[in-house]
Amino acid sequence: MSRIAWTTISALALGVVIAVVSFLARGNGSNAASQGVDTTTSTTSFSLPLAEDPSALALAKHDGNLLVGIAAKPGGPIEVAALRAETPLARDKLRFELDGRSMGARSCGNGCFRIDASVLDGEAKQLTVQAASSAAAFGLPARLPPSGEKLFARALRTMDQLQAYRFIETLTSGRDGVATEYEVQAPNRLSLRVLPTGSFRSVIIGRKRWDFHDGRWERGPFPGLNVADVLIWRRATHARVVGHDPNGVTDLAAFGLEPVPAWFRVSVEPSGRVVEAEMISPSHFMAHHYRDFNTKIEIKAPK
């Protein structure tokens, strides 16, 4: 797959509808695609080395446009990344508390702060990160949650084997948001419409696309689509089991560097199908709700 195809699919999989619409509408080819994705991938403005450690637990929350992401190892330390939109916050703008006790923190990279405290050590604890009037609180369990990598791999295989499904995506930067309905037909067909009115619609089949403008469909090129890349969480790593619902759904938490650095939460049915997925990344707070697995969906070229 070419870089242009990959970056364009990444933008689509991220649900950056405004950027995708702009790219498709302009029809400026590879330069437009690259520029559009440069905008979405500017979120590499922070460091969190511990998030890539397979023995760590990575979690994230947001309050408005404040993102707080953490990674913690048994016995410590805890690393914290805090950003307002896509801008890392300075140490003097933050307050850290562990079980209500103020904690010191030292730098561990761009936008990263390390707290030397014992956690996941047999006693549940709560970490709170305060930034002005915004805050994020994390309940850290007594022990490191068990690995969820086998279940994650099974979920990925199950979703990749589906012939068709639908999902609703909600995306916000912390303020206004957009909801989009997708229909997916393997291996290379996808349609989308922005809700609730369908003010923007698009159909993509392989290397062709059709966009609905001014009451008519306009055809144009597309770098190439593989619907497997629509699953925004597929490149997450080091999944851990963080919850079990009464209906048998298992919640996994993970972190990944592609298509942008982000924290993920994936809810997996006993069948292996994913029913919900959440991504938290600077200025991109996204949720997917999957349904209609292997129902009859036919995506055709508009006439």
Side-chain angles (χ1 to χ4, degrees):
M1 184 184 297
S2 70
R3 179 182 182 276
I4 296 170
W6 162 245
T7 51
T8 306
I9 292 169
S10 295
L12 181 62
L14 278 172
V16 189
V17 175
I18 295 173
V20 172
V21 170
S22 176
F23 160 59
L24 297 177
R26 288 198 305 268
N28 286 338
S30 61
N31 289 337
S34 298
Q35 291 169 2
V37 172
D38 284 344
T39 298
T40 66
T41 57
S42 63
T43 57
T44 56
S45 57
F46 70 92
S47 299
L48 199 71
L50 202 55
E52 299 177 60
D53 189 320
S55 64
L57 171 65
L59 303 170
K61 292 186 177 181
H62 75 95
D63 182 1
N65 69 348
L66 171 71
L67 180 156
V68 178
I70 70 168
K73 290 187 66 172
I78 311 166
E79 290 183 352
V80 179
L83 301 93
R84 182 73 71 179
E86 297 186 15
T87 302
L89 295 177
R91 173 65 184 89
D92 61 2
K93 302 296 183 183
L94 299 168
R95 177 178 174 83
F96 305 96
E97 292 185 353
L98 190 63
D99 286 344
R101 183 166 62 92
S102 182
M103 303 295 294
R106 53 191 172 89
S107 176
C108 49
N110 188 29
C112 177
F113 301 97
R114 182 171 293 150
I115 301 169
D116 292 316
S118 184
V119 291
L120 307 174
D121 58 355
E123 181 181 352
K125 296 178 181 178
Q126 178 165 293
L127 173 70
T128 303
V129 180
Q130 184 88 28
S133 60
S134 301
F138 300 88
L140 296 174
R143 300 290 182 188
L144 181 70
S147 172
E149 291 191 359
K150 288 184 178 179
L151 180 58
F152 184 90
R154 181 184 171 213
L156 191 55
R157 289 194 305 270
T158 301
M159 297 297 287
D160 282 347
Q161 290 168 2
L162 294 174
Q163 294 303 303
Y165 59 92
R166 294 184 176 92
F167 67 94
I168 299 290
E169 174 185 275
T170 56
L171 172 68
T172 176
S173 62
R175 295 182 180 177
D176 297 331
V178 61
T180 307
E181 182 178 51
Y182 290 80
E183 291 189 334
V184 177
Q185 182 183 356
N188 64 353
R189 296 178 180 235
L190 181 145
S191 68
L192 65 89
R193 66 185 186 98
V194 176
L195 299 176
T197 62
S199 55
F200 175 76
R201 286 180 281 164
S202 184
V203 173
I204 299 170
I205 300 176
R207 294 183 176 273
K208 298 176 183 178
R209 73 175 191 267
W210 293 262
D211 310 310
F212 194 75
H213 293 295
D214 300 323
R216 64 188 182 90
W217 288 98
E218 298 178 0
R219 177 175 165 175
F222 195 77
L225 175 67
N226 180 345
V227 298
D229 290 307
V230 175
L231 299 174
I232 55 172
W233 45 270
R234 68 177 302 110
R235 289 175 176 81
T237 58
H238 312 318
R240 294 201 169 273
V241 177
V242 293
H244 295 282
D245 296 340
N247 59 3
V249 171
T250 299
D251 293 327
L252 303 177
F255 182 83
L257 295 174
E258 294 183 12
V260 295
W263 291 259
F264 297 91
R265 194 175 182 106
V266 181
S267 299
V268 187
E269 288 183 327
S271 66
R273 293 173 178 173
V274 173
V275 290
E276 293 183 6
E278 180 186 28
M279 184 188 84
I280 295 182
S281 183
S283 289
H284 293 85
F285 311 120
M286 182 187 307
H288 281 184
H289 298 270
Y290 303 97
R291 70 183 197 280
D292 299 340
F293 303 107
N294 281 340
T295 54
K296 189 173 180 57
I297 295 174
E298 290 187 83
I299 299 174
K300 298 180 179 179
K303 296 181 180 179

